[in-house]
Amino acid sequence: MFTVTLMTNHAMYLDTNLVANLRNAMGGGAATWLDPNHCAEFDAPKIPRNIQTVWESLSAEGVDMVWQKAGDRKRKMLLADMDSTMIQQECIDELADEAGVGTRVAEITARAMNGELDFEEALLERVGLLKGLPEATIATVLEKRITLMPGGPTLLATMKANGAHCALVSGGFTAFTQAITAKLGFDEHHANTLLAENGTLTGDVTRPILGREAKVEALNRITKTLNIQPAEVIAVGDGANDLGMLQLAGTGVALHAKPTVQEQAKHRINHGDLTSLLFIQGYAKSDFVTA
């Protein structure tokens, strides 16, 4: 048995007829509305062979669809990427913009996140372009340029209220993950450390560089410490360096992700916000905890 979840963003309503028609076509049971306006789910005995075509059709109408094995879907751990996932920006791009090399760095970032470039090489090239930038610029960027992804505070508050461990693992920088961890309430954070001398960025980071494999290692290490299994983790990210952890986690979600990530991730959310991760775990809107 499978559970099929249908969701829209807050700007549009989920059509009751659409839910009923899809449920009937899949031979599903009665629909449960987790949000009276935006989310419904139903159980179905099997997933049709044309599910990808159905997903594409729904996505074109602004509807996200996730299907997974029925049963207890609530996860004991959240493992999240930061840039373009828990926040709406790429921190390195914002720093580069302040340094006057924004266009060049943003181009490299886009290619790296789509898997077209080696992550470590791309990171070092971009960080090198920040050489000479005042370290104080980090605080300026945090204050003026960084905004939380919608739904993030509710996601963290609800999962933590239900006993989940929440970890932030980023290929970005500790100066930013520390601030986001404090703001959202993550239990721990891991990222790369920008090096500075006399208040100025040197254009380098500490080694080893935290990339794709380090995120997988973090998932394995943290779950072992918590005495839980990777299957009990929900992971979310948007870039190619997130694919390893998304594929290892019991529930791996590509959120507004790059094309290559969407092609390989288990689940995709292209329209909803981070509260979609609660819906696909079976939480109703009435269960949400506001931060």
Side-chain angles (χ1 to χ4, degrees):
M1 189 67 71
F2 295 84
T3 298
V4 179
T5 308
L6 302 169
M7 300 159 284
T8 63
N9 62 31
H10 298 299
M12 65 177 288
Y13 289 102
L14 182 60
D15 190 332
T16 57
N17 290 327
L18 182 151
V19 174
N21 291 339
L22 186 62
R23 181 200 67 199
N24 293 337
M26 296 178 69
T32 299
W33 286 79
L34 301 179
D35 180 320
N37 298 318
H38 305 292
C39 180
E41 66 178 21
F42 59 85
D43 286 343
K46 61 180 181 179
I47 298 301
R49 292 181 179 179
N50 68 334
I51 191 67
Q52 178 62 25
T53 301
V54 175
W55 181 89
E56 292 172 356
S57 177
L58 290 171
S59 186
E61 296 181 37
V63 178
D64 287 314
M65 177 175 66
V66 167
W67 59 94
Q68 53 193 315
K69 288 184 178 180
D72 185 7
R73 290 166 281 143
K74 289 185 171 64
R75 301 307 184 201
K76 296 180 179 179
M77 174 179 158
L78 168 69
L79 187 64
D81 174 45
M82 180 180 67
D83 296 274
S84 298
T85 300
M86 297 309 302
I87 61 174
Q88 297 186 75
Q89 296 78 25
E90 294 283 336
C91 290
I92 194 167
D93 291 359
E94 301 302 323
L95 287 172
D97 201 42
E98 289 283 340
V101 291
T103 300
R104 173 61 179 151
V105 168
E107 176 187 273
I108 300 170
T109 298
R111 294 183 64 198
M113 291 303 97
N114 197 42
E116 298 172 28
L117 301 173
D118 176 79
F119 177 80
E120 290 192 11
E121 291 179 4
L123 178 67
L124 291 174
E125 181 179 357
R126 288 174 292 166
V127 170
L129 293 171
L130 301 180
K131 184 177 181 178
L133 189 69
E135 190 175 13
T137 305
I138 294 173
T140 300
V141 168
L142 273 167
E143 179 184 358
K144 297 183 177 181
R145 290 176 173 262
I146 303 303
T147 54
L148 297 176
M149 190 69 74
T154 299
L155 171 64
L156 265 291
T158 302
M159 291 199 68
K160 287 178 68 68
N162 284 272
H165 184 86
C166 299
L168 186 64
V169 183
S170 172
F173 309 119
T174 52
F176 292 91
T177 57
Q178 183 175 5
I180 300 306
T181 289
K183 186 171 291 188
L184 289 176
F186 279 97
D187 295 296
E188 58 183 288
H189 68 98
H190 306 276
N192 296 298
T193 300
L194 283 168
L195 294 176
E197 291 180 0
N198 301 318
T200 301
L201 298 184
T202 66
D204 201 0
V205 296
T206 56
R207 304 298 194 278
I209 292 174
L210 194 155
R212 174 171 174 159
E213 292 307 314
K215 292 191 176 191
V216 172
E217 291 169 5
L219 191 157
N220 285 323
R221 182 181 67 253
I222 298 169
T223 53
K224 185 176 181 179
T225 300
L226 297 173
N227 196 28
I228 63 174
Q229 299 299 314
E232 297 175 286
V233 175
I234 182 168
V236 60
D238 74 299
N241 63 324
D242 297 315
L243 270 170
M245 71 176 190
L246 296 185
Q247 292 169 339
L248 179 59
T251 307
V253 182
L255 182 80
H256 302 276
K258 309 305 183 288
T260 188
V261 182
Q262 293 203 39
E263 291 172 4
Q264 300 178 62
K266 297 176 184 177
H267 309 300
R268 297 158 287 180
I269 300 295
N270 283 339
H271 305 287
D273 62 22
L274 282 165
T275 58
S276 299
L277 273 68
L278 294 173
F279 287 136
I280 65 177
Q281 293 181 79
Y283 288 99
K285 185 178 181 182
S286 58
D287 298 323
F288 289 4
V289 177
T290 54

